[in-house]
């Protein structure tokens, strides 16, 4: 019985060590101040124009929805995605529905398709070419709205 307990404890220690190492090295598993919905932050310097995004969602045919983005001081740059340096006024957007990342956006319109019945939280964040979520004064540059689907 004692040998089994030591084996189990040894396994747990090795597993926890591996888990700690993996989560501390994996950029997609960070949390807290270093991350916003899966990516690190890019703080916009005070001397740069701060971009803004607003969104609207409207029915697009039967049971489907169309997202429209309105941007200020920001342009899409799909050809530059993945550049290592931060960009403050160009990049791409990320679409989240109910907290789940749905897509990367490179234009002002996106066909969402069907939404689940009930309330759906739609969020769009602006991201630098290096994938970092843009931040201004410690707050993400993003827009959210709730779409209530009654079927």
């Amino acid at each position: 019985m004692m040998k089994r307990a030591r084996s189990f404890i040894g396994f747990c220690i090795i597993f926890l060590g591996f888990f700690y190492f993996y989560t501390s090295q994996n950029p997609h598993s960070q949390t807290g101040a270093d991350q916003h919905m899966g990516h690190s932050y890019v703080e916009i310097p005070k001397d740069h124009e701060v971009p803004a995004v607003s969104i609207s969602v409207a029915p697009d045919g039967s049971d489907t929805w169309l997202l429209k983005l309105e941007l200020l001081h920001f342009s899409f740059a799909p050809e530059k995605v993945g550049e290592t340096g931060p960009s403050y006024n160009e990049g791409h957007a990320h679409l989240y529905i109910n907290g789940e990342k749905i897509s990367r956006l490179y234009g002002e319109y996106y066909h969402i398709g069907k939404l689940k019945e009930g309330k759906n939280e739609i969020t769009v964040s602006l991201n630098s070419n290096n994938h970092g979520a843009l931040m201004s004064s410690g707050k993400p540059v993003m827009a959210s709205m709730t779409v209530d689907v009654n079927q």
Side-chain angles (χ1 to χ4, degrees):
M1 183 71 165
M2 189 62 134
K3 188 174 181 179
R4 280 186 157 173
R6 277 189 263 174
S7 294
F8 178 74
I9 292 170
F11 171 78
C12 289
I13 290 171
I14 291 170
F15 175 78
L16 291 174
F18 172 78
F19 182 76
Y20 172 78
F21 176 78
Y22 176 78
T23 57
S24 67
Q25 302 301 314
N26 183 351
H28 296 291
S29 64
Q30 296 172 353
T31 59
D34 294 334
Q35 179 137 7
H36 169 70
M37 294 184 168
H39 292 288
S40 59
Y41 294 132
V42 172
E43 182 70 31
I44 300 168
K46 300 278 185 213
D47 61 341
H48 280 75
E49 287 184 305
V50 176
V53 59
S54 61
I55 60 174
S56 60
V57 177
D60 183 37
S62 64
D63 299 330
T64 63
W65 299 86
L66 182 67
L67 169 70
K68 182 180 183 203
L69 283 66
E70 291 189 29
L71 303 168
L72 181 65
H73 307 303
F74 188 83
S75 59
F76 291 108
E79 70 281 359
K80 295 181 181 178
V81 167
E83 288 185 353
T84 56
S87 56
Y88 307 113
N89 297 97
E90 67 176 16
H92 59 282
H94 289 176
L95 168 63
Y96 299 87
I97 299 178
N98 299 321
E100 179 184 345
K101 184 177 176 185
I102 301 302
S103 186
R104 198 183 290 169
L105 307 177
Y106 297 106
E108 65 180 297
Y109 289 97
Y110 181 80
H111 183 256
I112 294 174
K114 291 188 176 193
L115 292 171
K116 70 175 182 77
E117 189 172 346
K119 294 183 186 276
N120 293 272
E121 184 70 22
I122 311 294
T123 302
V124 173
S125 67
L126 296 184
N127 294 71
S128 175
N129 289 323
N130 71 1
H131 298 286
L134 292 176
M135 302 285 287
S136 176
S137 301
K139 295 181 182 172
V141 179
M142 61 190 282
S144 292
M145 69 176 291
T146 301
V147 176
D148 194 358
V149 177
N150 295 314
Q151 296 179 342

